[in-house]
Amino acid sequence: MSNVLTRSCCFILLLLGSWTLVAQRGQAEPPKKTNPLLLLQPGATPSPLVLTQRALTVVGQGQVTVPADRATLEFQLGSRSNLSAPELPGVSLPSASTVTPETLQPLITALRESGVKAEQIELQTSPLESPRLLVTLLKPTREQVQKVVMTVNQAVTRSQQLFLQSIGAAYSVKSCQPLEQSAQRLALADARRQMTPLAQALRMQVGEILLVTVLPLQGAASSIGCGSKVGVSSSFLATTDETALPPYNAAAVPEVKVRSQISVTYGMQ
């Protein structure tokens, strides 16, 4: 008799549990919350809630190229007398004491005769460093840049005291913000273009944008300021000892290339 009562009680509890479960499932589900769009700058960490959703991420690339507003040419010079000086034992420091402003005057004279103005020429000398001759050109063309390089090279060749160690060149624009914005728009458009065939291949529908991340660009400081440019600074170059200009390329066009790289995560259905 007791076994029969026990089985009956268990059966009743099982029915009650089933009814409760069905009743809970039958209740109206609360409306789904729309996730806010997250915009992450380089170095930020995405939210774990976004990464646990069903999503697909693509990386868009965008680049804008415009003529340069300014060209900066750097000629690093050396003294021929230092090459013939005997080496002494111990630690020796580079010396440019034999190069004086008078020694460099023929170069400046040649530049002035070629049409370069005095305010476009800057001479930097130091007792412990090789002298540097800086020439700036506004709205430069490749022919103008090549003419300056050829003028300096010929003047150094005629000199019996100097030799040319290196030539650096950098191109810049007055304002990079409009170029950055244009490059970012192109990167976002590229991400959308990539997403469509991927979603079709996966037989999925593209949902809302969940996450946008501006990815960092790799390169030297002189080439990634203000987006990413080839041998450019975000403003007119301040030539200091820490500034290393990219090597001069005679075939290069005086232009600025601003690049953007953006990762976009779409929710998938």
Side-chain angles (χ1 to χ4, degrees), residues 139-174:
K139 300 296 182 181
T141 63
R142 182 168 59 180
E143 290 73 20
Q144 291 174 336
V145 174
Q146 290 176 343
K147 182 180 179 180
V148 170
V149 173
M150 182 177 62
T151 299
V152 174
N153 191 35
Q154 290 176 349
V156 171
T157 302
R158 289 192 297 265
S159 173
Q160 297 180 354
Q161 295 177 297
L162 301 173
F163 70 95
L164 194 56
Q165 290 183 342
S166 64
I167 304 176
Y171 309 107
S172 57
V173 292
K174 294 180 179 179

Side-chain angles (χ1 to χ4, degrees), residues 32 53-56 199 202-210 266-269:
K32 294 183 179 179
Q53 299 184 28
R54 195 178 188 186
L56 187 62
L202 295 171
R203 297 180 181 180
M204 302 174 68
Q205 293 183 355
V206 180
E208 61 180 352
I209 298 178
L210 303 178
Y266 292 85
M268 305 302 293
Q269 301 174 357

Side-chain angles (χ1 to χ4, degrees), residues 206-225:
V206 180
E208 61 180 352
I209 298 178
L210 303 178
L211 182 67
V212 177
T213 306
V214 181
L215 299 178
L217 299 169
Q218 302 297 326
S222 61
S223 64
I224 65 174

Side-chain angles (χ1 to χ4, degrees), residues 8-24:
S8 300
C9 291
C10 292
F11 181 72
I12 294 173
L13 291 175
L14 181 60
L15 289 178
L16 289 174
S18 301
W19 179 86
T20 304
L21 181 61
V22 173
Q24 289 177 350

